[in-house]
Amino acid sequence: MTTMLERLRDAANAHDAELLASLFAPDYRSSQPLHPSRGFGGSSQVLENWSSEGPFQPDERRLFAKA
């Protein structure tokens, strides 16, 4: 069974914005205490953010360290 972090990593590494957004709840809230104006909410906003060219670089890979 894959963990949520593995699914997030795999979706990001596949550059699959729709799959990545599907892993977030519709009422997901993102907040950045140091940058309050950058907060957003909802899986639809995750999709919009990750569908732009910015978050995905052509050969970028994300890794998660095991605790």
Side-chain angles (χ1 to χ4, degrees):
M1 175 187 268
T2 44
T3 67
M4 178 56 83
L5 282 178
E6 290 169 326
R7 293 188 306 192
L8 287 167
R9 179 204 59 207
D10 293 345
N13 286 340
H15 298 210
D16 188 335
E18 289 185 16
L19 178 59
L20 185 68
S22 75
L23 299 173
F24 290 82
D27 60 350
Y28 167 75
R29 301 294 307 161
S30 173
S31 63
Q32 291 75 37
L34 294 178
H35 304 283
S37 65
R38 295 182 187 172
F40 63 90
S43 56
S44 60
Q45 187 63 49
V46 172
L47 176 60
E48 186 175 327
N49 292 352
W50 283 85
S51 293
S52 70
E53 294 180 30
F56 289 127
Q57 301 302 318
D59 54 354
E60 181 178 33
R61 307 296 288 171
R62 287 170 171 74
L63 304 172
F64 292 93
K66 291 186 178 187

